[in-house]
Amino acid sequence: MPAREAERRDYSANPKITLSVPVECNGQRLDQTLAKLLPQHSRSRLQQWLRAGRVSVDDVLIVEARHKVWAGARVELVEAPDERSEAAQPENIPLRIVHEDESLLVIDKPAGLVVHPGNGNWHGTLLNALLHHAPQLAAVPRAGIVHRLDKDTSGLLVVAKTLAAQTHLVRQLQARSVKRIYQALVRGRVEKDGLVDAPIGRHPTQRTRMAIVAAGKPARTRYRIVETFLTTTLLECALETGRTHQIRVHLDSIAHPLVGDPLYGQRASRVPRGPRYSHQALHACRLALLHPQSGKSLHWRSALPASLAELIEEQRQFAAAAEENRPDGDEWDDWQEDDDDSATQVIYVTDDDPDEDDVGEQ
């Protein structure tokens, strides 16, 4: 299907590939023909270029993958630059640096900042910001990043500035000598401190989610109660391992998912929905490790971001107000003692002859 002329884009500055449809591709779909003639590119990438108006057949722009081509037709494809190859570029993105020396950086990451370029987030990441701040990180794999935080998780993250420091930090992570403590506001009232020891792997059907699966990697999360509110609990969580979405998956597994988590906790119907929050209420508040060069023990703390601190304070005030308004035991006993049965109408409810059509307001 030819595209409208008004939808054409100017790709004249990009490299162009010119092909002739061979006899064996006569009558085949355009995307199938391109996949055979350009095996170095995936079919999904070729289809994406088609939709973007980068392919023409006999000088006619085509955006329909099912368009049939015939032997001898001239196909022109304007290649797009590979986003992956361009992703690791310096970008002037502000960073909150809480510590820096010749071996490492400690960043207090805001919620909303992606740590590493990936599908759909090739630019505007922490990695791009690090390359701008310290260009020498281009010589260190992943710009020195040794562990990650989810996009919408805030808090402390360490970055190695040299290969030697990166190796040292990775070994500390493997030995579990790096201490990472998180504060988490969860739905429901947690009754006691605990440990979740359950393997985590990719969800078998929903590839954007992680799940507790028998064949997953070992994962351990300790948690303790910091403060309990009416319908939520503030926890402190300590990671003994560092799996993707570990805290989110483990807390969901004990029916106390994070407040605001858009991915987990949708089936936790036995606990209150909790207050509204724009993202998961999770903050990496403490980080401790051994300095790669000096061997000195270092420890950093990060205050809660303002929005999460305000949310917790609201929960605290709601709980305090409910406690003030609740009658104490003496008031309840006095009310019972003063009750005069002779002046009180008593209504007994039975199951006799119920009206099946009247279920009342639910």
Side-chain angles (χ1 to χ4, degrees):
M1 178 178 67
R4 294 197 304 266
E5 193 70 23
E7 294 176 340
R8 289 179 181 268
R9 301 177 183 178
D10 184 9
Y11 294 126
S12 57
N14 298 102
K16 182 183 294 185
I17 298 176
T18 302
L19 307 166
S20 179
V21 178
V23 174
E24 59 267 26
C25 293
N26 188 55
Q28 290 188 354
R29 289 165 49 123
L30 176 56
D31 62 337
Q32 294 173 343
T33 300
L34 289 172
K36 289 181 179 179
L37 299 180
L38 300 169
Q40 69 270 32
H41 297 301
S42 66
R43 179 169 293 187
S44 62
R45 175 178 294 174
L46 292 170
Q47 289 176 337
Q48 183 180 5
W49 287 350
L50 265 169
R51 292 191 295 269
R54 292 179 172 272
V55 179
S56 63
V57 178
D58 292 333
D59 297 324
V60 178
L61 194 67
I62 305 296
V63 296
E64 177 58 68
R66 293 178 295 179
H67 178 85
K68 290 186 177 182
V69 293
W70 309 98
R74 187 177 76 259
V75 178
E76 290 186 341
L77 166 67
V78 180
E79 290 185 299
D82 188 355
E83 289 181 309
R84 295 175 187 267
S85 65
E86 293 192 339
Q89 299 296 323
E91 295 182 35
N92 188 7
I93 301 170
L95 290 173
R96 184 181 178 189
I97 299 172
V98 298
H99 175 88
E100 182 174 14
D101 58 35
E102 66 278 6
S103 297
L104 52 81
L105 273 163
V106 177
I107 306 295
D108 196 349
K109 187 187 86 69
L113 178 64
V114 175
V115 170
H116 197 280
N119 189 26
N121 293 287
W122 296 110
H123 304 283
T125 70
L126 176 63
L127 182 143
N128 300 114
L130 289 169
L131 291 174
H132 180 271
H133 174 77
Q136 69 270 27
L137 288 174
V140 184
R142 298 178 299 281
I145 295 170
V146 294
H147 68 110
R148 302 185 186 187
L149 296 176
D150 292 339
K151 174 183 176 181
D152 289 323
T153 298
S154 56
L156 297 170
L157 183 145
V158 64
V159 176
K161 292 181 68 176
T162 66
L163 284 169
Q166 188 177 50
T167 300
H168 196 281
L169 289 173
V170 168
R171 287 175 179 171
Q172 286 192 60
L173 286 165
Q174 292 171 342
R176 301 178 183 176
S177 61
V178 176
K179 305 302 180 185
R180 291 168 289 169
I181 308 296
Y182 295 72
Q183 283 191 307
L185 185 65
V186 301
R187 291 163 49 191
R189 294 170 64 92
V190 180
E191 295 183 355
K192 59 182 179 179
D193 302 347
L195 165 69
V196 182
D197 186 349
I200 291 178
R202 188 70 60 182
H203 192 285
T205 59
Q206 302 176 44
R207 306 306 294 172
T208 60
R209 292 165 54 101
M210 306 301 287
I212 293 176
V213 292
K217 295 181 179 180
R220 290 167 60 90
T221 305
R222 294 187 181 276
Y223 60 91
R224 71 175 187 87
I225 299 169
V226 176
E227 197 169 354
T228 302
F229 308 116
L230 283 178
T231 61
T232 57
T233 306
L234 180 61
L235 298 179
E236 193 170 79
C237 301
L239 291 180
E240 294 189 8
T241 54
R243 309 304 175 202
T244 302
H245 298 181
Q246 178 173 319
I247 292 177
R248 300 166 69 184
V249 171
H250 276 174
L251 293 180
D252 184 31
S253 73
I254 61 171
H256 290 290
L258 290 168
V259 167
D261 196 327
L263 199 58
Y264 301 97
Q266 304 305 313
R267 297 182 181 179
S269 58
R270 295 185 179 182
V271 293
R273 295 298 303 172
R276 291 183 178 273
Y277 196 56
S278 60
H279 54 275
Q280 65 262 18
L282 184 63
H283 178 69
C285 61
R286 286 194 281 161
L287 174 68
L289 51 82
L290 299 178
H291 191 277
Q293 197 168 20
S294 68
K296 183 180 178 181
S297 179
L298 302 175
H299 187 191
W300 298 273
R301 292 177 180 267
S302 169
L304 289 169
S307 62
L308 183 52
E310 291 171 3
L311 177 65
I312 292 171
E313 182 58 29
E314 287 178 359
Q315 297 298 295
R316 186 176 293 120
Q317 291 177 5
F318 291 154
E323 184 67 24
E324 288 179 2
N325 294 329
R326 188 179 67 180
D328 59 28
D330 292 341
E331 291 176 345
W332 177 256
D333 292 341
D334 292 344
W335 181 84
Q336 287 184 313
E337 292 172 0
D338 293 342
D339 185 20
D340 183 1
D341 289 343
S342 62
T344 304
Q345 181 182 9
V346 181
I347 300 175
Y348 295 94
V349 181
T350 69
D351 293 333
D352 296 337
D353 300 323
D355 184 349
E356 295 180 357
D357 295 329
D358 183 10
V359 295
E361 294 183 0
Q362 304 297 311

